[in-house]
Amino acid sequence: MSTLITGADGYLARRLTEALLRDGETVVLAARGEGLSRLASRHAGEASVTLVEADLGAPDALAGIDPAKLTRIVHAAAVTRFNVDRETARRGNVEGTAQVCDLAERSPNLERLTLISTLYTAGRHLGEIPETRHGDAGFVNHYEWSKHEAEELACSRGLPLSVLRLPTIVCDDDTGLSITQYNAFHRTLKLYFYGLLSLVPGLAETPLSLASAEFAVRAVLALLDAPEGIVHVCPDAEASTDLGTMIDTAFAVFERDPSFRRRRLLRPLHVDHAGFRDLVSVAEALGKGPINQAVGVVAPYAEQLYLPKTFDNRGLHARWPGYRAPDPVRLVESVCQTLVLTRWGRGPRSPRD
């Protein structure tokens, strides 16, 4: 019997695949186009690996998979950009999940469907967020909306389901010394380092849930056969950092760099919600240019930073007794050191040297 992994060429799915193969598992890897070609090169000659071309944005994408051979499905395929348009998000994240659920219903030996989701499905909710289905309080962007809709769809189908809501992944492992995928977190720090953004959208006290890919994969592996339910795979609320601390930590690292000090940049100031909306309007009016580009990096998610929330993760503790997350402040410090030393992946230096 096999574990199907959708989006198998993705950042987390590749790591999950390698871990399962080390444990002697048989896997079916579903990916599309160039991603499938890369997987074919990586797993050439491995009898425990079956490759299937599957674009979940297209109809009948999983028709080539024999449902009778599946014991588990890990649905990791998703469009994860904060600036994704609604139709692309709907097609990839909602309709794609529907296809996976259809396959799960046709799989007579299925023991578990694991949906890789995100803490951002909480949308505009405030305060402590429980490990339950969310009501619709509105969303900051189409990515949040589509992942929430995907959760609701999967939860309504009566399947043996686990929903794992992950935090923002900022590095490869718990040391913070390796970064091979860059997202809005890294691009925003780059703007501050080069003086392209002088304001911080959000409240200084807004909690941030950050983790490494190593932590996320360990959690998924630990939870694959744990009791069903919705789990917040994130650091404990009291151990998390906040926006103000993150900015202070980043600039403490930046200020040790000679080239940064020569620019004599001041630490950015927090701006209230109305002020940031005004900044976005001005940037849009100016058209294409450095200001518009800089604001365009943060605008798709910035409103979330005015909506402070914490995430109850008691289900994680109950299902994963060995739970351990990296210290978030130390992680931010290491990540910033890595970004500066490597110039966001462009330079020759490595913090491991």
Side-chain angles (χ1 to χ4, degrees), residues 78-160:
V79 181
T80 59
R81 302 187 309 275
F82 286 135
N83 65 348
V84 65
D85 64 89
R86 190 177 182 89
E87 176 57 23
T88 300
R90 182 192 61 78
R91 190 169 60 249
N93 293 344
V94 183
E95 293 186 359
T97 298
Q99 291 200 57
V100 171
C101 289
D102 290 344
L103 176 64
E105 290 178 339
R106 299 194 304 271
S107 302
N109 300 304
L110 188 72
E111 298 172 1
R112 180 64 53 85
L113 166 60
T114 298
L115 173 63
I116 304 300
S117 191
T118 172
L119 298 178
Y120 288 103
T121 58
R124 296 180 182 274
H125 284 282
L126 297 169
E128 185 176 76
I129 308 301
E131 292 174 301
T132 59
R133 293 169 70 173
H134 300 310
D136 185 346
F139 304 95
V140 168
N141 51 57
H142 299 309
Y143 167 66
E144 294 181 358
W145 163 80
S146 66
K147 292 297 286 183
H148 171 268
E149 290 297 300
E151 282 191 12
E152 287 297 290
L153 187 153
C155 287
S156 69
R157 301 287 283 267
L159 294 162

Side-chain angles (χ1 to χ4, degrees), residues 213-246:
E214 177 186 352
F215 166 74
V217 170
R218 283 201 316 266
V220 173
L221 289 170
L223 299 171
L224 278 179
D225 299 313
E228 301 165 21
I230 297 173
V231 183
H232 290 156
V233 181
C234 62
D236 298 342
E238 60 271 18
S240 297
T241 188
D242 57 41
L243 179 59
T245 302
M246 189 275 286

Side-chain angles (χ1 to χ4, degrees), residues 266-318:
L266 298 177
R267 293 195 180 192
L269 300 175
H270 289 270
V271 61
D272 63 24
H273 198 181
F276 185 74
R277 286 199 299 264
D278 289 343
L279 176 62
V280 172
S281 297
V282 169
E284 291 174 347
L286 290 173
K288 293 182 179 179
I291 295 178
N292 183 279
Q293 292 174 5
V295 173
V297 170
V298 298
Y301 72 86
E303 192 169 350
Q304 193 59 252
L305 300 175
Y306 296 99
L307 302 169
K309 53 181 68 70
T310 58
F311 295 91
D312 174 16
N313 67 349
R314 281 173 287 188
L316 177 65
H317 283 276

Side-chain angles (χ1 to χ4, degrees), residues 9 14 32-43 51:
D9 58 320
R14 292 196 309 271
R32 60 181 182 178
E34 293 182 2
L36 189 69
S37 298
R38 288 191 293 269
L39 291 172
S41 298
R42 185 177 296 118
H43 298 291
L51 301 178

Side-chain angles (χ1 to χ4, degrees), residues 157-212:
R157 301 287 283 267
L159 294 162
L161 176 70
S162 290
V163 176
L164 307 186
R165 293 175 179 155
L166 271 56
T168 299
I169 305 300
V170 297
C171 53
D172 298 344
D173 59 38
D174 289 354
T175 69
L177 300 180
S178 175
I179 303 170
T180 54
Q181 176 166 285
Y182 298 85
N183 54 36
F185 177 85
H186 309 97
R187 291 192 292 273
T188 301
L189 288 172
K190 186 176 183 179
L191 294 175
Y192 290 128
F193 183 80
Y194 287 106
L196 299 173
L197 192 63
S198 60
L199 297 173
V200 179
L203 307 174
E205 64 270 21
T206 296
L208 301 178
S209 191
L210 310 172
S212 67

